[in-house]
């Protein structure tokens, strides 16, 4: 339960639960295999784990002897296809003694160095299993795509307001959005409440106790979150894989293939399940994530402080290269050290031949990811509609967004999407037409005051808000058939469920107002300041040559 750099792959990671063949199908498969052997063929051994999706792991050839008959039989009987050969031992944790030593070293470091975080304290002290699972669940959802420092305050306020599943289930979505405002990825809060209501109404308030049940029964809970809740709250010996774990494992075993590919993710889950400590699974998983968050960081990792560096293939490679370079410098000329890739052609976990090891990067050669698609650009015209309230303070009109889609259910200033490369005059006209529909009276496009542009980056959208303002005199009747709307003071605005982007918009508006109300720069001298040329120059003032040569005047 630490801040992730977190690409959360819930749902994309697939299942991973074992699927046993029925006795009848097993007998049929055995008979078919026997017939093949009698006819001179050889049956392929079944794969031990039947995954929810196919994950090709290298270019293993079809086994000889099956031919088209074997393929037909496998399709007919539903038996798993022949498994590709596993990657070389270099990429795996196949030595039990090494696994045990890694567990021991990592847990000892975690016990000494773990951060004091509120969700850890709450989970450790909570005797009730359902409340403990809920506390871990909330933290895991909040930490998706979000840093620890940003989550702590939100988590504390959330647990104070809704300490149990039952309390959250009774809350309104508006309350959830208000508390979540500013944390980003707003659908997380909505899905969390929907799942809490399901636990209360359909599961009698009892949290599922295993990763398999959590993932199956709770909407919005994927493989990672299910594993974290089950291991931390209920002691299930199951691994977890998030962005931090991916980075640590890829460096430990020099995994240079695209770490976001389904096949590599499958191997990483296998490794995590092999490594997890059976007696302290929750602590081990948190330790692995903590290591990635604080030591084995994306850039400038602290390898000297790493408790498992003796198990790290990437670190060993760096050390060997340094030793080789040092010996070469002194002319000893030893043979080239064994720092090459595993040597197996088409290894599914080695870097591609087009991306060789870069000595200048060291351990940060790993992990490697495919280039991200650039976020799509969007432009939106937004108007800060302002009026004077009954006590003279300004009030702003905010409207509620639709209940689905981006920023679902949040409040914003009246806004309208714009086409790209639209002229400013046309932007004004479109916004004026949009406001006219709200107020039921004509709005002059020229009356809209341009404030500026506000940029906000969502995970997949580069959003530009073209901000205008309009001051209204008197009351305005809004069309009740449109989305919900209300007038709010500045304090009420910040207490409402508004996005960070809208807070930026209001800040830009207020900055423009201060600029307009302040005197022109340089129009007034500071109190006590002398007029230019009066008296002696200030200390440090550079004199002209003529002034320097002039005789000093008598006081």
């Amino acid at each position: 339960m630490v801040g992730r750099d977190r690409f959360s792959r819930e749902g994309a990671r697939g299942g991973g639960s074992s699927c046993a063949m029925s006795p009848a199908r097993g007998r049929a498969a055995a008979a078919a295999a026997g017939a093949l052997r009698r006819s001179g063929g050889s049956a392929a051994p079944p794969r031990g784990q039947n995954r929810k999706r196919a994950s090709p792991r290298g270019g293993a050839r079809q086994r000889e002897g099956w031919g088209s008959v074997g393929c037909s039989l496998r399709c007919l009987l539903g038996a798993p296809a022949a498994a590709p050969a596993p990657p070389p031992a270099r990429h795996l944790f196949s030595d039990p003694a090494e696994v045990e030593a890694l567990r021991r070293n990592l847990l000892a470091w975690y016990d000494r160095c773990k951060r004091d975080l509120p969700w850890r304290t709450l989970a450790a002290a909570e005797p009730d299993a359902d409340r403990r699972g809920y506390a871990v669940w909330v933290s895991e959802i909040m930490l998706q795509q979000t840093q620890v420092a940003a989550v702590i305050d939100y988590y504390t306020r959330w647990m104070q307001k809704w300490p149990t599943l039952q309390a959250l289930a009774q809350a309104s979505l508006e309350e959830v959005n208000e508390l979540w405002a500013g944390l980003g990825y707003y659908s997380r809060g909505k899905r969390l409440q929907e799942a809490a209501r399901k636990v209360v109404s359909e599961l009698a308030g009892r949290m599922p106790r295993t990763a398999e049940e959590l993932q199956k029964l709770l909407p919005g809970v994927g493989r990672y979150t299910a594993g974290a809740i089950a291991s931390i709250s209920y002691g299930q010996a199951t691994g977890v894989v998030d962005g931090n774990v991916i980075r640590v494992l890829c460096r430990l075993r020099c995994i240079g293939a695209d770490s976001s590919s389904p096949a590599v993710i499958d191997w990483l889950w296998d490794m995590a399940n092999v490594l997890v400590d059976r007696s302290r699974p929750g602590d081990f998983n948190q330790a692995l994530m903590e290591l990635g968050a604080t030591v084995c960081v994306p850039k400038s990792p602290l390898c000297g402080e790493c408790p498992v560096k003796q198990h790290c293939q990437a670190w060993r490679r760096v050390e060997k290269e340094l030793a080789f370079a040092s010996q070469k410098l002194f002319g000893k000329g030893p043979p080239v050290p064994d720092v090459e890739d595993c040597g197996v052609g088409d290894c599914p976990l080695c870097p591609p031949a087009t991306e060789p090891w870069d000595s200048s990067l060291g351990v940060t050669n790993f992990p490697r990811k495919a280039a991200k698609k650039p976020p799509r650009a969007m432009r939106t015209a937004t108007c800060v509609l302002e009026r004077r309230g009954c006590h003279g303070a300004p009030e702003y009109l905010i409207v509620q967004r639709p209940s689905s889609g981006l920023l679902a259910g949040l409040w914003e200033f009246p806004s309208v999407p714009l086409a790209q490369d639209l002229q400013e005059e046309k932007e004004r006209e479109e916004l004026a037409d949009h406001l006219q529909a709200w107020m039921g009276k004509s709005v002059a496009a020229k009356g809209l005051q341009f404030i500026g542009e506000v940029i906000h980056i969502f995970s997949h959208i580069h959003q530009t808000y073209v901000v205008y303002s309009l001051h209204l005199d008197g009351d305005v009747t809004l069309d009740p058939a449109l989305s919900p709307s209300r007038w709010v003071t500045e304090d009420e605005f910040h207490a409402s469920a508004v996005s960070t982007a809208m807070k930026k918009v209001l800040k830009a508006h207020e900055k423009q107002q201060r600029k307009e109300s302040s005197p022109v720069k340089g129009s007034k001298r500071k109190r006590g300041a002398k007029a230019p040329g009066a008296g002696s120059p200030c200390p440090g003032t550079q004199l002209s040559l003529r002034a320097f040569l002039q005789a000093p005047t008598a006081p």
Side-chain angles (χ1 to χ4, degrees):
M1 285 191 301
V2 295
R4 328 286 192 236
D5 46 89
R6 284 210 35 130
F7 79 139
S8 178
R9 296 191 174 274
E10 309 288 36
R13 290 171 177 159
S17 59
S18 297
C19 181
M21 186 182 294
S22 67
R25 181 172 289 182
R27 288 192 296 271
L36 280 170
R37 285 194 296 270
R38 287 192 295 272
S39 64
S42 59
R47 182 168 175 78
Q49 189 178 30
N50 182 23
R51 302 188 182 276
K52 286 186 180 178
R53 66 169 179 273
S55 314
R57 296 179 177 171
R61 296 185 181 89
Q62 188 181 27
R63 291 178 181 268
E64 295 180 3
W66 275 101
S68 59
V69 176
C71 290
S72 301
L73 275 170
R74 284 201 300 273
C75 295
L76 177 65
L77 299 174
R90 169 186 174 85
H91 296 304
L92 305 177
F93 292 96
S94 52
D95 182 0
E98 183 187 20
V99 171
E100 186 58 36
L102 188 149
R103 291 171 179 168
R104 184 172 58 252
N105 295 336
L106 183 59
L107 285 169
W109 168 82
Y110 179 70
D111 290 338
R112 293 192 314 270
C113 303
K114 65 182 176 184
R115 291 171 292 178
D116 184 17
L117 300 174
W119 42 90
R120 289 178 179 164
T121 304
L122 190 55
E126 179 55 65
D128 183 86
D130 293 311
R131 295 184 68 157
R132 184 169 64 248
Y134 168 66
V136 173
W137 182 14
V138 172
S139 70
E140 289 299 336
I141 297 299
M142 286 189 171
L143 286 164
Q144 291 173 3
Q145 305 281 356
T146 311
Q147 296 295 322
V148 165
V151 168
I152 290 175
D153 181 56
Y154 281 90
Y155 180 82
T156 302
R157 289 188 287 116
W158 182 287
M159 296 306 296
Q160 288 173 347
K161 190 174 183 68
W162 302 301
T164 65
L165 282 161
Q166 289 75 11
L168 177 59
Q170 293 172 3
S172 67
L173 179 58
E174 180 70 13
E175 290 177 298
V176 170
N177 283 338
E178 285 178 359
L179 197 150
W180 201 278
L183 194 58
Y185 300 92
Y186 296 91
S187 61
R188 293 180 295 171
K190 179 182 179 181
R191 290 199 304 267
L192 180 57
Q193 189 196 35
E194 289 173 350
R197 286 177 171 172
K198 181 176 181 179
V199 173
V200 172
S201 62
E202 299 180 22
L203 305 178
R206 186 180 186 275
M207 285 280 291
R209 296 297 196 260
T210 67
E212 295 76 17
E213 289 180 339
L214 286 160
Q215 188 177 354
K216 179 181 178 181
L217 297 176
L218 300 187
V221 171
R223 190 176 182 184
Y224 162 77
T225 303
I229 297 171
S231 62
I232 297 168
S233 303
Y234 306 124
Q236 183 184 0
T238 182
V240 297
V241 173
D242 76 338
N244 287 316
V245 174
I246 286 173
R247 184 165 56 257
V248 171
L249 293 182
C250 285
R251 290 174 180 173
L252 283 173
R253 282 302 178 262
C254 279
I255 297 174
D258 178 8
S259 63
S260 63
S261 72
V264 174
I265 292 294
D266 278 346
W267 283 115
L268 293 172
W269 272 100
D270 288 345
M271 292 180 196
N273 284 322
V274 167
L275 288 177
V276 65
D277 189 88
R278 271 49 186 170
S279 60
R280 298 176 61 187
D283 285 342
F284 182 86
N285 286 336
Q286 291 184 88
L288 201 57
M289 293 185 284
E290 185 90 340
L291 184 68
T294 61
V295 175
C296 195
V297 291
K299 298 179 180 179
S300 303
L302 308 175
C303 293
E305 300 177 18
C306 179
V308 295
K309 62 178 178 287
Q310 65 270 35
H311 307 287
C312 181
Q313 297 280 5
W315 181 76
R316 288 179 189 172
R317 178 164 185 166
V318 170
E319 291 297 300
K320 286 183 179 180
E321 286 194 345
L322 289 174
F324 173 70
S326 176
Q327 291 174 348
K328 186 177 180 181
L329 182 66
F330 291 102
K332 295 184 179 181
V336 177
D338 180 21
V339 294
E340 302 302 319
D341 292 329
C342 67
V344 175
D346 296 326
C347 172
L349 297 182
C350 275
T354 55
E355 300 178 23
W357 168 274
D358 184 346
S359 297
S360 66
L361 296 177
V363 301
T364 61
N365 274 279
F366 309 103
R368 301 189 184 193
K369 298 180 182 178
K372 290 184 178 179
K373 293 181 179 179
R376 70 177 187 272
M378 292 184 64
R379 289 177 66 83
T380 298
T382 299
C383 185
V384 180
L385 274 173
E386 181 182 349
R387 72 177 187 184
R388 288 291 163 188
C390 20
H391 299 292
E395 291 182 344
Y396 307 100
L397 178 68
I398 56 175
V399 300
Q400 192 169 33
R401 290 181 60 85
S403 59
S404 61
L406 183 68
L407 306 176
L410 298 190
W411 295 80
E412 66 180 5
F413 296 113
S415 304
V416 60
L418 298 172
Q420 294 292 331
D421 302 323
L422 209 60
Q423 295 293 326
E424 180 184 349
E425 182 180 354
K426 187 64 176 174
E427 289 180 348
R428 286 175 177 268
E429 291 175 0
E430 291 203 11
L431 182 58
D433 290 343
H434 182 69
L435 295 174
Q436 181 175 333
W438 273 99
M439 297 187 293
K441 64 178 184 180
S442 177
V443 175
K446 292 183 178 179
L448 297 172
Q449 181 185 3
F450 177 69
I451 300 297
E453 292 188 351
V454 170
I455 307 296
H456 190 77
I457 308 297
F458 297 96
S459 59
H460 56 295
I461 297 173
H462 185 283
Q463 176 71 65
T464 300
Y465 292 96
V466 187
V467 184
Y468 295 87
S469 68
L470 180 64
H471 184 82
L472 300 177
D473 295 321
D475 199 8
V476 175
T477 302
L478 303 174
D479 188 347
L482 299 175
S483 299
S485 60
R486 58 184 180 176
W487 291 94
V488 293
T489 63
E490 182 178 355
D491 289 342
E492 291 170 339
F493 173 86
H494 287 289
S496 300
V498 294
S499 67
T500 302
M502 286 299 110
K503 292 178 181 179
K504 289 181 180 179
V505 168
L506 181 59
K507 187 175 181 180
H509 170 69
E510 292 173 337
K511 182 179 180 180
Q512 179 69 20
Q513 284 190 319
R514 288 193 300 269
K515 183 178 179 181
E516 292 174 355
S517 61
S518 62
V520 179
K521 188 176 181 180
S523 62
K524 290 185 179 180
R525 294 195 308 271
K526 292 182 179 179
R527 185 179 299 175
K530 295 182 180 180
S536 302
C538 298
T541 302
Q542 186 175 7
L543 301 176
S544 67
L545 181 62
R546 178 174 296 186
F548 179 75
L549 296 175
Q550 230 174 13
T553 56

